[in-house]
Amino acid sequence: MQLYQTNELKIYNSLSGRKETFRPINDGYVGMYVCGPTVYSNVHLGNVRTFMSFDMIYRYLKHLGYKVRYVRNITDAGHLENDADEGEDRIAKKARLEQLEPMEVVQRYTVDFHNILNKFNFLPPSIEPTATGHIIEQIEIIKDIIDNGFAYEINGSVYFDVLKFNESNNYGELSGRKIEDLIHNTRETAGQSDKKNPQDFALWKKAEPQHIMRWPSPWSDGFPGWHLECTAMSTKYLGEHFDIHGGGMDLKFPHHECEIAQNKAAKARSPVNYWMHANMLTLNGKKMAKSTGNNILPHEIFTGDNNILSKPFAPSVVRFFILQAHYRSILDFSNEALSASEKGFNRLMEAIHLIDELPVGTQTDFDIQDWVGSCYEAMNDDFNTPILIANLFEAAKHINLIKEGKEQISSENLELFKEKIHAFTFDVLGLVDTAIAEGNDHADKLSGVVELLINLRAEARANKDFATSDKIRDELAAMGVRLKDGKDGTTFTVG
């Protein structure tokens, strides 16, 4: 029996504003879409927090036995400055400033994004589509919206008619905004004269002569609207109706609100059952954002090259720090908070190291089944990682008591205990034992040093300097590193 059949998972649905029992559209299968990065700069820690929240959710769904199709996109065009319909494309602007092709910018920061997420031990998504790879699908959705009377073309651009849509639908259902308030609070700005109403948003923009990134369409050479891209990619891979759509809290309006409107206008149905939003990471009490400069880059944390922290911190310590807060709560980043998390992380890892050395008794002095149930209860309550971590610390306390002979654990319960503490720590939370990671790092360095000596020995042999060649071989052997010469070169073994 799969674990999801015995666990009732509740998810906070931003659409209803309450926790709801999770019921996937297809039993045993989950379709999940998360809005990915706009790749015009290095990914900062605030972005990482959002993606880490959904990595944890993905991991737990897989742990429960669901077959998950996780789609997380790359926005590589169409995202204009200030999330607006006017102004310069963020990627094109970076390309102009750095005198690069836009796709060089995309490649550079996509690689950075992947490298950083790998350091944090993220699982890769099932599919990672790009906006530029789905222009045709976006054009077809625009045609459907126009045909259904919810969009209009003017001067080569196509806009979504928000007021027309709101006559038969509720624009604002996700964010809780009322159309009357939106009208009242919207002021006319330069460049909006093509729109019927200031609230309307672009589905397709005609490219100005200087705009580098452009594609042909029935309306003009131009580029798609940012909101449309996610609509096209999510429905292409997950269908017109899927389970979970996630992203940062800042995307709820207008981005996700517009996605719902576009889907309803094109297909006459709401696309998603559960909308999920991760809250922000603050620095010095203010939102972490690229635009304001109030941010810290992950590599600055790992190296200690910053003016905020007293020392470098390992990726898994930062991951532990982030997951100690619930994904829907605001988390403030500080040197003191990260230092405290490091101490807690080390305490947990030390306890897990002891578990293989625990003496087996004839009875168990604490209820393992109850502890396991508490862990699942925490995660089933809208992925409550702070409570799960509290349970892991409770487990660490019992491990130390057993080690000291103050409690007992039977062999049967020890196996269950070991299985579940590893599953929740490493599989669900995605933490990495830094002692093992550092050991692997040391092994890599040793391998590099030996390869260097092998090359020096080969040079000595080529120069008929057999004394040096033999010295390298013999001294490595004395240290337990044995060289073996073969027709394909020299290999080594340790031990």
Side-chain angles (χ1 to χ4, degrees):
M1 179 181 289
Q2 298 286 4
L3 283 169
Y4 64 79
Q5 294 174 303
T6 57
N7 284 271
E8 184 174 271
L9 172 63
K10 290 187 180 294
I11 293 176
Y12 182 86
N13 190 348
S14 299
L15 194 60
S16 65
R18 57 184 174 84
K19 292 178 188 176
E20 298 177 5
T21 300
F22 179 62
R23 298 277 185 261
I25 294 166
N26 298 304
D27 188 42
Y29 293 83
V30 178
M32 180 169 76
Y33 183 87
V34 173
C35 295
T38 301
V39 282
Y40 70 100
S41 64
N42 298 107
V43 60
H44 68 68
L45 196 63
N47 303 134
V48 168
R49 187 199 181 186
T50 293
F51 301 128
M52 189 179 291
S53 297
F54 289 99
D55 180 67
M56 172 272 296
I57 289 164
Y58 179 38
R59 285 171 172 275
Y60 187 61
L61 291 170
K62 286 168 66 71
H63 173 77
L64 290 180
Y66 287 108
K67 185 172 182 180
V68 186
R69 177 175 288 174
Y70 175 24
V71 182
R72 186 187 65 214
N73 76 296
I74 296 287
T75 296
D76 57 354
H79 193 175
L80 305 188
E81 295 176 287
N82 303 315
D83 299 345
D85 285 339
E86 306 298 330
E88 197 168 3
D89 184 290
R90 294 181 178 191
I91 292 163
K93 180 179 180 180
K94 187 77 169 202
R96 176 174 58 78
L97 293 173
E98 298 193 9
Q99 296 185 312
L100 297 170
E101 282 287 332
M103 284 302 141
E104 286 183 89
V105 173
V106 166
Q107 178 69 4
R108 173 187 296 176
Y109 294 114
T110 300
V111 169
D112 170 73
F113 176 68
H114 289 148
N115 286 342
I116 293 299
L117 266 54
N118 286 339
K119 287 185 186 297
F120 280 115
N121 196 34
F122 279 51
L123 297 177
S126 315
I127 303 172
E128 192 172 53
T130 63
T132 56
H134 296 77
I135 300 295
I136 292 172
E137 289 85 351
Q138 292 170 72
I139 289 172
E140 291 304 310
I141 291 173
I142 295 171
K143 289 178 182 177
D144 288 342
I145 296 174
I146 291 174
D147 289 346
N148 291 337
F150 295 113
Y152 56 92
E153 183 268 333
I154 186 164
N155 295 331
S157 293
V158 180
Y159 294 99
F160 190 94
D161 192 333
V162 170
L163 296 186
K164 176 70 174 175
F165 174 79
N166 198 62
E167 290 174 4
S168 54
N169 294 276
N170 178 15
Y171 182 79
E173 61 179 303
L174 178 65
S175 60
R177 304 189 185 208
K178 297 186 182 301
I179 195 72
E180 298 82 5
D181 295 335
L182 292 174
I183 293 170
H184 178 73
N185 293 327
T186 305
R187 58 187 177 86
E188 196 72 32
T189 59
Q192 286 189 334
S193 56
D194 280 352
K195 299 180 182 181
K196 287 182 180 178
N197 303 288
Q199 298 78 27
D200 297 347
F201 57 89
L203 299 173
W204 186 266
K205 285 289 291 180
K206 180 181 179 180
E208 298 298 326
Q210 71 274 16
H211 199 98
I212 305 171
M213 304 175 81
R214 57 174 67 215
W215 293 265
S217 79
W219 312 285
S220 65
D221 275 7
F223 54 93
W226 172 42
H227 311 309
L228 184 69
E229 296 170 350
C230 286
T231 294
M233 289 182 280
S234 62
T235 55
K236 178 178 175 67
Y237 297 108
L238 298 175
E240 293 176 8
H241 187 212
F242 57 95
D243 297 299
I244 298 171
H245 192 315
M249 197 76 77
D250 56 330
L251 297 182
K252 187 184 289 188
F253 186 89
H255 187 53
H256 291 160
E257 196 74 73
C258 293
E259 280 193 63
I260 292 175
Q262 288 165 162
N263 273 279
K264 284 188 168 184
K267 305 299 179 185
R269 71 179 306 170
S270 188
V272 179
N273 282 352
Y274 304 88
W275 284 89
M276 300 182 68
H277 293 93
N279 217 324
M280 70 179 77
L281 188 65
T282 58
L283 177 61
N284 301 321
K286 297 178 182 176
K287 179 185 174 183
M288 211 177 268
K290 298 173 189 174
S291 56
T292 62
N294 189 56
N295 69 75
I296 187 167
L297 299 177
H299 76 84
E300 295 171 339
I301 301 171
F302 307 153
T303 62
D305 184 18
N306 61 80
N307 299 319
I308 299 167
L309 303 175
S310 58
K311 61 187 275 300
F313 290 91
S316 226
V317 169
V318 182
R319 184 174 180 117
F320 187 67
F321 160 72
I322 290 173
L323 293 176
Q324 280 185 291
H326 191 273
Y327 79 91
R328 286 193 290 112
S329 67
I330 294 174
L331 174 62
D332 194 55
F333 182 89
S334 70
N335 184 69
E336 293 73 20
L338 206 50
S339 297
S341 286
E342 183 178 54
K343 290 175 183 174
F345 174 81
N346 290 337
R347 191 162 77 249
L348 178 60
M349 290 302 123
E350 286 163 7
I352 291 174
H353 291 164
L354 291 174
I355 202 164
D356 286 326
E357 304 171 14
L358 293 183
V360 175
T362 57
Q363 62 180 32
T364 299
D365 290 328
F366 71 105
D367 193 331
I368 299 291
Q369 293 287 353
D370 184 61
W371 176 82
V372 171
S374 297
C375 292
Y376 281 109
E377 185 179 341
M379 289 303 292
N380 290 336
D381 183 19
D382 192 33
F383 311 97
N384 199 325
T385 56
I387 300 299
L388 173 63
I389 289 170
N391 287 329
L392 292 174
F393 280 132
E394 178 70 13
K397 182 187 80 173
H398 287 291
I399 288 170
N400 286 306
L401 289 171
I402 295 166
K403 180 68 176 175
E404 294 165 6
K406 296 176 181 176
E407 284 188 359
Q408 288 190 55
I409 188 167
S410 68
S411 57
E412 181 182 348
N413 279 321
L414 178 59
E415 287 307 307
L416 175 64
F417 191 35
K418 188 189 301 185
E419 176 199 337
K420 292 302 182 183
I421 199 169
H422 277 83
F424 283 111
T425 303
F426 303 121
D427 298 341
V428 174
L429 293 180
L431 300 176
V432 174
D433 188 335
T434 50
I436 293 173
E438 286 169 5
N440 291 338
D441 186 46
H442 293 155
D444 289 342
K445 289 174 181 175
L446 171 63
S447 178
V449 170
V450 174
E451 291 292 345
L452 174 63
L453 290 169
I454 287 172
N455 291 336
L456 291 173
R457 179 171 172 263
E459 287 181 21
R461 293 174 75 184
N463 294 329
K464 302 191 185 307
D465 182 1
F466 298 112
T468 299
S469 168
D470 292 346
K471 182 178 175 63
I472 291 172
R473 181 198 61 208
D474 294 343
E475 294 202 5
L476 281 174
M479 292 184 284
V481 180
R482 291 172 178 77
L483 303 184
K484 182 178 181 181
D485 297 315
K487 63 179 182 178
D488 296 323
T490 301
T491 58
F492 72 92
T493 57
V494 179

